[in-house]
Amino acid sequence: MPPKFRPLFFVILLLATAATITAHSLSNALYFEQLTVFREAPAFRNGLECPQATWSSTIKGQSQHGLSSIIHIAMTLDSTYLRGSIAGVLSVLQHATCPENIVFHFLSTHRRAELRRTITLTFPYLNFHLYHFDADLVKGKISFSIRRALDQPLNYARFYLADLLPASVGRIIYFDSDLIVVDDVAKLWSFNLGAHVLGAPEYCHANFTNYFNSRFWSNPAYAASFRGRKPCYFNTGVMVIDVLKWRNGKYTQKLEYWMRIQKKYRIYELGSLPPFLLVFAGNVEGVEHRWNQHGLGGDNLHGLCRDLHPGPASLLHWSGKGKPWLRIDSKRPCPLDSLWAPYDLYRHSLLFSDS
C-alpha cells in the first residue's frame, strides 16, 4: 500500500470497527431490554394435599406409583419465543395443584446470565435450572425446511435433553414455547409409559406418507425402517420422556443418524419432526388427545385461523405458522388467541400510561 493511503486506510478501519462495536452494543441493548419487559407473576403455593418434596434421584423420594413427586418440565428459551415460553410457564403454575413441586429446565443458546435474571424477576419463586445448548452440535447437520423457524439450532435441543439434564432426572415432560396448559400438569406427569421411551398424543388418521418425500419412499432401505411397526404421526411439542431409557437406548445417536441422511439425500421437509417419526413412530405410548390440542397456529404456509378439535382440552398448542402474541400485536388475532392472552405477562405500554 502506498504511504499516502495508509492514514486513510486506518481511519476507514477504525470507523468500521466502531460501527461494528456500536451495532453489537445496540443489538445487546435491544436484547437485554426485551428480557426485562415482563410483569412479575403472582406467587403460586402448594395445596394442603401436596407431599413435601425435594429434588431427589429417581430412586430416592419416589411416590407409591414409582414416580418422583417432583415434576420436571423442559422448555427452550430464545428471543423470538420468549414471550410464549413465559406464558406457558405461567399457565402450568396457575393450574397446578402442587406448583412448588415443579422444576423447570430451560435450554438456550443465549447468554444465561440475562435469561436467568429475566426468569427470576418474572417468577421470583420458580424452581428452575438453565442450560446452555451448544448450537455447534447441530449446525452442520441441519438442512433447510419449509419454514425458517424450523431450522433454528434450538429447535433440535430436544434431541439432546438426556445429555444436558442431571443424572438425577429420570423422567421429563417436554413442552414447546407456543402452548398453554389449562389442567393440572401432574395428570400428564403420572401417565404410565409402560415399556416405551416416550408418550405423546398420536394421530393415526393422518396420512403418514406425507411427512417424507418420494426420495425416501422409493429407497427400500429407508422405507424398511418402519417394518414391523404401525407408524402414526405425533407432535413433538408435547412429550413425556423416560430419560433413563433414552440414555440406555442411545436415542440421541439414532436421531442424529437420520439428520445425516437428510443432509446428504434430503428425504423430508419438516425440520426436527421427521427424525422423531423415523425413530419412534409406532413405538409411542399414546396419551389422550386432550393433552395436545395442536395446530392452533394454522398451517405452515398461511397461518390461517383454526378451531379446537372435538373433545376436551387440557393443553392448547399454537403449532403452525401463526403465533398468538404476533397476531394480537398486529391487531389481527384469531378467535382462539383470546384463550392465550390471559397468560401473557408482556409489559404493554398501556400499563405505564398516566392518563
Side-chain angles (χ1 to χ4, degrees):
M1 179 185 299
K4 64 179 180 179
F5 291 119
R6 286 176 184 170
L8 180 61
F9 170 77
F10 285 115
V11 169
I12 294 172
L13 181 61
L14 286 171
L15 289 173
T17 302
T20 301
I21 293 173
T22 301
H24 183 67
S25 299
L26 287 172
S27 176
N28 287 344
L30 289 172
Y31 177 64
F32 183 75
E33 181 183 358
Q34 183 183 15
L35 295 180
T36 57
V37 293
F38 297 98
R39 307 191 307 278
E40 181 180 321
F44 297 95
R45 300 301 187 185
N46 281 354
L48 295 176
E49 67 274 33
C50 296
Q52 292 292 326
T54 57
W55 183 337
S56 59
S57 70
T58 54
I59 303 300
K60 298 178 182 178
Q62 287 181 335
S63 70
Q64 60 180 343
H65 304 294
L67 292 177
S68 168
S69 52
I70 294 290
I71 297 173
H72 295 279
I73 297 175
M75 299 179 73
T76 58
L77 295 179
D78 72 349
S79 56
T80 304
Y81 287 88
L82 184 60
R83 190 168 164 187
S85 299
I86 285 178
V89 172
L90 176 61
S91 72
V92 170
L93 297 175
Q94 185 168 316
H95 294 281
T97 302
C98 305
E100 293 179 279
N101 290 3
I102 299 175
V103 178
F104 281 87
H105 301 264
F106 297 120
L107 286 64
S108 181
T109 57
H110 290 297
R111 289 182 300 279
R112 287 185 288 175
E114 294 171 358
L115 282 171
R116 185 179 301 280
R117 180 175 182 271
T118 296
I119 298 301
T120 301
L121 290 175
T122 309
F123 301 102
Y125 305 98
L126 190 68
N127 191 351
F128 74 94
H129 298 265
L130 190 57
Y131 309 90
H132 175 72
F133 175 65
D134 185 0
D136 290 338
L137 285 172
V138 293
K139 274 186 177 177
K141 304 183 184 79
I142 297 175
S143 59
F144 69 90
S145 59
I146 62 173
R147 272 201 304 133
R148 185 179 177 183
L150 300 177
D151 303 336
Q152 301 306 308
L154 196 58
N155 198 42
Y156 292 81
R158 70 196 86 183
F159 287 27
Y160 299 88
L161 264 177
D163 299 328
L164 295 168
L165 295 172
S168 58
V169 179
R171 166 185 284 226
I172 197 141
I173 297 172
Y174 177 83
F175 281 153
D176 268 352
S177 297
D178 53 0
L179 58 79
I180 57 171
V181 176
V182 292
D183 201 347
D184 190 348
V185 75
K187 298 175 184 177
L188 180 61
W189 174 256
S190 62
F191 190 81
N192 185 1
L193 293 179
H196 295 99
V197 177
L198 67 81
E202 292 184 293
Y203 303 90
C204 295
H205 62 276
N207 187 348
F208 194 81
T209 59
N210 289 339
Y211 295 99
F212 305 92
N213 59 31
S214 58
R215 196 174 292 111
F216 173 87
W217 294 111
S218 63
N219 187 311
Y222 298 159
S225 61
F226 291 116
R227 186 176 298 143
R229 50 186 171 135
K230 182 182 178 182
C232 294
Y233 164 77
F234 67 95
N235 181 281
T236 56
V238 178
M239 298 183 289
V240 184
I241 301 172
D242 188 314
V243 182
L244 298 178
K245 290 177 183 173
W246 182 294
R247 292 184 182 122
N248 292 335
K250 301 185 183 304
Y251 283 95
T252 296
Q253 291 89 327
K254 293 176 181 179
L255 292 166
E256 287 182 322
Y257 166 79
W258 285 111
M259 288 180 70
R260 288 192 292 270
I261 296 293
Q262 164 70 356
K263 188 71 174 177
K264 190 172 182 179
Y265 299 108
R266 193 163 184 83
I267 56 176
Y268 54 78
E269 309 293 335
L270 280 171
S272 64
L273 169 64
F276 265 97
L277 298 179
L278 285 159
V279 173
F280 291 107
N283 194 23
V284 171
E285 186 65 38
V287 176
E288 292 176 281
H289 287 176
R290 68 187 302 152
W291 283 104
N292 196 352
Q293 284 265 6
H294 68 286
L296 304 186
D299 60 80
N300 281 318
L301 295 177
H302 306 292
L304 301 176
C305 296
R306 288 186 176 177
D307 295 325
L308 288 174
H309 307 292
S314 294
L315 184 149
L316 307 178
H317 188 185
W318 276 260
S319 58
K321 184 178 181 180
K323 303 306 173 189
W325 57 92
L326 297 178
R327 295 194 295 219
I328 289 171
D329 287 353
S330 66
K331 310 299 183 185
R332 292 182 296 177
C334 287
L336 291 178
D337 295 345
S338 63
L339 300 177
W340 180 89
Y343 303 96
D344 184 15
L345 290 174
Y346 184 74
R347 290 182 186 270
H348 294 279
S349 57
L350 289 176
L351 294 173
F352 295 96
S353 174
D354 294 328
S355 59

Short mmCIF file of all heavy atoms in Angstrom, two decimals, residues 325-353:
data_model
loop_
_atom_site.label_atom_id
_atom_site.label_comp_id
_atom_site.label_asym_id
_atom_site.label_seq_id
_atom_site.Cartn_x
_atom_site.Cartn_y
_atom_site.Cartn_z
N TRP A 325 -49.18 -14.15 20.14
CA TRP A 325 -48.68 -12.84 20.52
C TRP A 325 -48.43 -11.94 19.31
O TRP A 325 -48.65 -10.73 19.37
CB TRP A 325 -47.42 -12.96 21.39
CG TRP A 325 -46.27 -13.72 20.79
CD1 TRP A 325 -45.24 -13.23 20.07
CD2 TRP A 325 -46.04 -15.14 20.87
NE1 TRP A 325 -44.38 -14.23 19.69
CE2 TRP A 325 -44.84 -15.41 20.18
CE3 TRP A 325 -46.71 -16.20 21.48
CZ2 TRP A 325 -44.30 -16.70 20.05
CZ3 TRP A 325 -46.18 -17.48 21.37
CH2 TRP A 325 -44.99 -17.72 20.65
N LEU A 326 -48.01 -12.54 18.19
CA LEU A 326 -47.79 -11.76 16.97
C LEU A 326 -49.11 -11.30 16.38
O LEU A 326 -49.24 -10.15 15.92
CB LEU A 326 -47.00 -12.59 15.96
CG LEU A 326 -45.59 -13.00 16.37
CD1 LEU A 326 -44.95 -13.86 15.29
CD2 LEU A 326 -44.72 -11.77 16.66
N ARG A 327 -50.10 -12.17 16.39
CA ARG A 327 -51.40 -11.79 15.83
C ARG A 327 -52.10 -10.76 16.71
O ARG A 327 -52.76 -9.85 16.20
CB ARG A 327 -52.25 -13.05 15.64
CG ARG A 327 -51.66 -14.00 14.61
CD ARG A 327 -52.62 -15.07 14.15
NE ARG A 327 -53.00 -16.01 15.19
CZ ARG A 327 -53.14 -17.33 14.99
NH1 ARG A 327 -52.89 -17.84 13.79
NH2 ARG A 327 -53.52 -18.12 15.96
N ILE A 328 -51.94 -10.89 18.02
CA ILE A 328 -52.54 -9.91 18.94
C ILE A 328 -51.91 -8.54 18.74
O ILE A 328 -52.59 -7.52 18.65
CB ILE A 328 -52.39 -10.39 20.40
CG1 ILE A 328 -53.32 -11.59 20.65
CG2 ILE A 328 -52.70 -9.26 21.37
CD1 ILE A 328 -53.10 -12.27 21.98
N ASP A 329 -50.57 -8.50 18.64
CA ASP A 329 -49.88 -7.23 18.46
C ASP A 329 -50.20 -6.57 17.12
O ASP A 329 -50.20 -5.34 17.01
CB ASP A 329 -48.37 -7.42 18.58
CG ASP A 329 -47.92 -7.67 20.02
OD1 ASP A 329 -48.77 -7.56 20.93
OD2 ASP A 329 -46.73 -7.98 20.23
N SER A 330 -50.46 -7.39 16.12
CA SER A 330 -50.77 -6.84 14.80
C SER A 330 -52.25 -6.49 14.64
O SER A 330 -52.67 -6.08 13.56
CB SER A 330 -50.36 -7.84 13.71
OG SER A 330 -51.17 -9.02 13.78
N LYS A 331 -53.02 -6.65 15.73
CA LYS A 331 -54.46 -6.35 15.73
C LYS A 331 -55.24 -7.26 14.79
O LYS A 331 -56.30 -6.89 14.29
CB LYS A 331 -54.72 -4.87 15.35
CG LYS A 331 -53.89 -3.86 16.12
CD LYS A 331 -54.17 -3.91 17.61
CE LYS A 331 -53.37 -2.84 18.35
NZ LYS A 331 -53.54 -2.95 19.82
N ARG A 332 -54.69 -8.44 14.54
CA ARG A 332 -55.40 -9.41 13.69
C ARG A 332 -55.44 -10.78 14.38
O ARG A 332 -55.00 -11.78 13.83
CB ARG A 332 -54.72 -9.52 12.34
CG ARG A 332 -54.84 -8.26 11.48
CD ARG A 332 -54.20 -8.46 10.12
NE ARG A 332 -52.76 -8.67 10.24
CZ ARG A 332 -51.95 -8.93 9.22
NH1 ARG A 332 -52.45 -9.01 7.99
NH2 ARG A 332 -50.66 -9.09 9.41
N PRO A 333 -55.97 -10.83 15.60
CA PRO A 333 -55.99 -12.11 16.32
C PRO A 333 -57.02 -13.08 15.77
O PRO A 333 -58.02 -12.67 15.18
CB PRO A 333 -56.35 -11.68 17.75
CG PRO A 333 -57.19 -10.46 17.56
CD PRO A 333 -56.59 -9.74 16.38
N CYS A 334 -56.74 -14.34 15.96
CA CYS A 334 -57.73 -15.37 15.70
C CYS A 334 -58.60 -15.50 16.95
O CYS A 334 -58.18 -15.14 18.05
CB CYS A 334 -57.05 -16.71 15.40
SG CYS A 334 -56.25 -16.77 13.77
N PRO A 335 -59.82 -16.02 16.81
CA PRO A 335 -60.71 -16.14 17.98
C PRO A 335 -60.08 -16.87 19.16
O PRO A 335 -60.23 -16.45 20.31
CB PRO A 335 -61.91 -16.91 17.42
CG PRO A 335 -61.94 -16.53 15.97
CD PRO A 335 -60.51 -16.42 15.55
N LEU A 336 -59.33 -17.94 18.90
CA LEU A 336 -58.76 -18.73 19.99
C LEU A 336 -57.56 -18.05 20.66
O LEU A 336 -57.14 -18.46 21.73
CB LEU A 336 -58.34 -20.11 19.49
CG LEU A 336 -59.49 -21.05 19.11
CD1 LEU A 336 -58.94 -22.38 18.59
CD2 LEU A 336 -60.40 -21.29 20.30
N ASP A 337 -57.02 -17.00 20.04
CA ASP A 337 -55.90 -16.28 20.67
C ASP A 337 -56.33 -15.63 21.98
O ASP A 337 -55.48 -15.35 22.84
CB ASP A 337 -55.35 -15.23 19.71
CG ASP A 337 -54.72 -15.84 18.47
OD1 ASP A 337 -54.45 -17.06 18.48
OD2 ASP A 337 -54.50 -15.10 17.49
N SER A 338 -57.62 -15.39 22.14
CA SER A 338 -58.12 -14.81 23.39
C SER A 338 -57.95 -15.77 24.55
O SER A 338 -57.95 -15.34 25.72
CB SER A 338 -59.60 -14.43 23.25
OG SER A 338 -60.39 -15.59 23.00
N LEU A 339 -57.77 -17.06 24.28
CA LEU A 339 -57.53 -18.03 25.35
C LEU A 339 -56.08 -17.98 25.82
O LEU A 339 -55.78 -18.34 26.96
CB LEU A 339 -57.86 -19.45 24.86
CG LEU A 339 -59.31 -19.68 24.41
CD1 LEU A 339 -59.47 -21.11 23.87
CD2 LEU A 339 -60.27 -19.42 25.55
N TRP A 340 -55.18 -17.52 24.94
CA TRP A 340 -53.76 -17.39 25.30
C TRP A 340 -53.49 -16.08 26.03
O TRP A 340 -52.65 -16.01 26.94
CB TRP A 340 -52.91 -17.47 24.03
CG TRP A 340 -51.44 -17.36 24.26
CD1 TRP A 340 -50.56 -18.36 24.52
CD2 TRP A 340 -50.67 -16.13 24.27
NE1 TRP A 340 -49.29 -17.85 24.69
CE2 TRP A 340 -49.33 -16.50 24.55
CE3 TRP A 340 -50.97 -14.79 24.08
CZ2 TRP A 340 -48.30 -15.55 24.63
CZ3 TRP A 340 -49.96 -13.84 24.17
CH2 TRP A 340 -48.63 -14.23 24.44
N ALA A 341 -54.21 -15.03 25.67
CA ALA A 341 -53.93 -13.68 26.14
C ALA A 341 -53.87 -13.54 27.68
O ALA A 341 -53.03 -12.78 28.18
CB ALA A 341 -54.95 -12.71 25.56
N PRO A 342 -54.72 -14.21 28.47
CA PRO A 342 -54.65 -14.03 29.93
C PRO A 342 -53.33 -14.47 30.56
O PRO A 342 -53.04 -14.09 31.70
CB PRO A 342 -55.81 -14.90 30.44
CG PRO A 342 -56.76 -14.97 29.30
CD PRO A 342 -55.89 -15.02 28.08
N TYR A 343 -52.53 -15.24 29.84
CA TYR A 343 -51.26 -15.73 30.39
C TYR A 343 -50.07 -14.89 29.90
O TYR A 343 -48.93 -15.18 30.23
CB TYR A 343 -51.06 -17.20 29.99
CG TYR A 343 -52.19 -18.08 30.46
CD1 TYR A 343 -53.24 -18.40 29.60
CD2 TYR A 343 -52.23 -18.56 31.76
CE1 TYR A 343 -54.29 -19.19 30.03
CE2 TYR A 343 -53.27 -19.34 32.20
CZ TYR A 343 -54.31 -19.66 31.32
OH TYR A 343 -55.35 -20.44 31.76
N ASP A 344 -50.36 -13.86 29.14
CA ASP A 344 -49.31 -13.01 28.56
C ASP A 344 -48.83 -12.01 29.62
O ASP A 344 -49.59 -11.14 30.04
CB ASP A 344 -49.86 -12.28 27.34
CG ASP A 344 -48.82 -11.46 26.62
OD1 ASP A 344 -47.61 -11.67 26.88
OD2 ASP A 344 -49.20 -10.62 25.77
N LEU A 345 -47.58 -12.11 30.03
CA LEU A 345 -47.01 -11.21 31.04
C LEU A 345 -46.21 -10.07 30.43
O LEU A 345 -45.53 -9.34 31.15
CB LEU A 345 -46.12 -12.01 32.01
CG LEU A 345 -46.84 -12.98 32.94
CD1 LEU A 345 -45.84 -13.80 33.74
CD2 LEU A 345 -47.78 -12.23 33.87
N TYR A 346 -46.30 -9.92 29.14
CA TYR A 346 -45.58 -8.84 28.47
C TYR A 346 -46.07 -7.48 28.95
O TYR A 346 -47.28 -7.26 29.11
CB TYR A 346 -45.77 -8.97 26.95
CG TYR A 346 -45.00 -7.97 26.13
CD1 TYR A 346 -43.63 -8.10 25.97
CD2 TYR A 346 -45.64 -6.91 25.51
CE1 TYR A 346 -42.90 -7.19 25.19
CE2 TYR A 346 -44.93 -5.99 24.74
CZ TYR A 346 -43.57 -6.15 24.59
OH TYR A 346 -42.86 -5.24 23.84
N ARG A 347 -45.13 -6.55 29.21
CA ARG A 347 -45.49 -5.21 29.68
C ARG A 347 -45.92 -4.35 28.51
O ARG A 347 -45.08 -3.75 27.83
CB ARG A 347 -44.29 -4.55 30.37
CG ARG A 347 -43.90 -5.15 31.70
CD ARG A 347 -42.73 -4.35 32.26
NE ARG A 347 -42.19 -4.94 33.47
CZ ARG A 347 -42.60 -4.64 34.70
NH1 ARG A 347 -43.57 -3.78 34.86
NH2 ARG A 347 -42.04 -5.20 35.75
N HIS A 348 -47.21 -4.26 28.26
CA HIS A 348 -47.70 -3.38 27.20
C HIS A 348 -47.58 -1.93 27.65
O HIS A 348 -47.63 -1.62 28.84
CB HIS A 348 -49.15 -3.72 26.86
CG HIS A 348 -49.31 -5.08 26.25
ND1 HIS A 348 -49.06 -5.32 24.92
CD2 HIS A 348 -49.64 -6.27 26.79
CE1 HIS A 348 -49.25 -6.61 24.66
NE2 HIS A 348 -49.62 -7.20 25.78
N SER A 349 -47.49 -1.02 26.69
CA SER A 349 -47.27 0.39 27.01
C SER A 349 -48.40 0.96 27.85
O SER A 349 -48.21 1.88 28.64
CB SER A 349 -47.12 1.20 25.72
OG SER A 349 -48.26 1.02 24.88
N LEU A 350 -49.61 0.41 27.70
CA LEU A 350 -50.74 0.92 28.45
C LEU A 350 -50.56 0.79 29.95
O LEU A 350 -51.13 1.53 30.74
CB LEU A 350 -52.04 0.20 28.03
CG LEU A 350 -52.57 0.51 26.63
CD1 LEU A 350 -53.78 -0.35 26.33
CD2 LEU A 350 -52.95 1.99 26.53
N LEU A 351 -49.74 -0.16 30.34
CA LEU A 351 -49.51 -0.38 31.77
C LEU A 351 -48.76 0.78 32.40
O LEU A 351 -48.79 0.96 33.61
CB LEU A 351 -48.73 -1.67 31.98
CG LEU A 351 -49.47 -2.96 31.60
CD1 LEU A 351 -48.52 -4.14 31.69
CD2 LEU A 351 -50.66 -3.18 32.50
N PHE A 352 -48.08 1.58 31.58
CA PHE A 352 -47.29 2.67 32.11
C PHE A 352 -47.93 4.04 31.83
O PHE A 352 -47.32 5.06 32.09
CB PHE A 352 -45.87 2.64 31.49
CG PHE A 352 -45.10 1.42 31.87
CD1 PHE A 352 -45.10 0.33 31.02
CD2 PHE A 352 -44.42 1.34 33.07
CE1 PHE A 352 -44.40 -0.83 31.38
CE2 PHE A 352 -43.71 0.21 33.41
CZ PHE A 352 -43.71 -0.88 32.56
N SER A 353 -49.13 4.03 31.32
CA SER A 353 -49.80 5.29 30.97
C SER A 353 -50.34 5.96 32.23
O SER A 353 -50.92 5.32 33.10
CB SER A 353 -50.93 5.01 29.98
OG SER A 353 -51.67 6.19 29.74
#
